[in-house]
DNA sequence: TTCGTTGCAAACATTTTGCAGTTTC
DNA sequence: GAAACTGCAAAATGTTTGCAACGAA
């Protein structure tokens, strides 16, 4: 029942851009970055394709920073550091034990960690029954 | 230079409500729940007070579910389970090693975990300099 | 009487959607 | 040619803000 996908240059460009950056961009940045190459590009198209990519599991939204969703084409499970000041999102590689690992991983960058947010996503008991 | 706070029944009611629930509500729910008791309450007041509470460190926003911010008056660091179907947010207590702990913690509830989101918040190297 | 708080409505920002035209298969 | 894709603009949604009235110190 899934609707099938057809080829589209805009879509290709969007996913290629996402795969080429580690900046975990938002929709607006993707739009602005591709606009020179695709002058006719519209923001709605960016949003529509992002939604598709999420559905297809090709990307994930890693955070909501300042009310804007941030996307990542690296779907391997990994952690992120989010600056509460400038809003940048930085990959935190590895998967060693929690607090210690985080501190040492970010230490070299001069970052200061003030809090940890851990979210497990899935289906709750009620929803899993269906 | 911080502006000082005066007493306010509405504010008291909002924080009391937040402290009395484990449902990690959003602004709208708080508004709707208090409306009967405070018929004159306005949504703007709820948002303004939530912002204040966050500034004062009395609450934190634990997640953004379906575009709506979810708040928690329990500021002790703990994890959350978020149902991607119904949007409910459930506390995950304890702090044993990651994956295993999560699975066993939620197992009894019948929940199915499909992903983990770990975010470290703080200031990046650039911002920390200031 | 000073200054924080509130209701209300308007303003905002981000994201979604309807429609008509275009592209892909 | 059917169905997916797109631009555009309008709409929807969640949140913020300006202002005048109100309440606490």
């Amino acid at each position: 029942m899934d609707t099938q996908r057809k080829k589209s240059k805009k879509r290709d460009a969007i996913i290629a851009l996402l795969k080429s950056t580690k900046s975990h961009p938002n929709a607006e940045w993707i739009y602005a970055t591709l606009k020179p190459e695709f002058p006719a590009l519209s923001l709605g198209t960016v949003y529509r394709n992002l939604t598709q990519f999420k559905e297809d599991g090709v990307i994930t939204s890693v955070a909501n920073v300042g009310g804007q969703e941030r996307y990542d084409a690296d779907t391997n499970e990994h952690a992120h550091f989010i600056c509460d000041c400038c809003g940048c999102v930085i990959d935190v590689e590895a998967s060693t034990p929690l607090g210690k690992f985080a501190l040492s991983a970010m230490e070299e960058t001069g970052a200061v960690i003030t809090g940890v947010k851990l979210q497990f996503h899935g289906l709750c008991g009620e929803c899993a029954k269906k």
Side-chain angles (χ1 to χ4, degrees), chain A:
Chain A
M1 211 82 305
D2 332 61
T3 91
Q4 53 191 330
R5 301 270 124 94
K6 290 185 176 174
K7 214 158 182 293
S8 145
K9 301 204 168 173
K10 312 261 170 83
R11 179 152 64 228
D12 291 348
I14 293 172
I15 191 63
L17 178 58
L18 269 163
K19 282 185 173 159
S20 75
T21 182
K22 290 196 166 186
S23 68
H24 312 84
N26 56 25
E28 185 68 38
W29 183 89
I30 296 170
Y31 171 71
T33 304
L34 292 179
K35 190 71 174 173
E37 187 179 353
F38 299 91
L41 181 65
S42 103
L43 197 49
T45 296
V46 173
Y47 276 109
R48 268 187 283 234
N49 278 298
L50 287 173
T51 302
Q52 280 194 3
F53 291 141
K54 258 198 298 187
E55 281 173 12
D56 298 348
V58 178
I59 66 172
T60 50
S61 64
V62 293
N64 184 301
V65 180
Q68 299 186 176
E69 211 56 38
R70 304 287 289 262
Y71 300 93
D72 194 345
D74 177 2
T75 56
N76 292 314
E77 226 154 61
H78 60 287
H80 295 94
F81 172 82
I82 297 160
C83 181
D84 291 325
C85 174
C86 69
C88 69
V89 178
I90 304 170
D91 281 328
V92 178
E93 309 291 354
S95 52
T96 38
L98 205 53
K100 213 168 77 179
F101 125 70
L103 291 168
S104 64
M106 300 307 297
E107 199 171 73
E108 61 204 57
T109 71
V112 180
I113 295 177
T114 60
V116 179
K117 253 182 214 180
L118 178 56
Q119 299 179 357
F120 298 102
H121 283 257
L123 301 179
C124 69
E126 294 296 301
C127 293
K129 283 178 194 164
K130 302 160 198 169

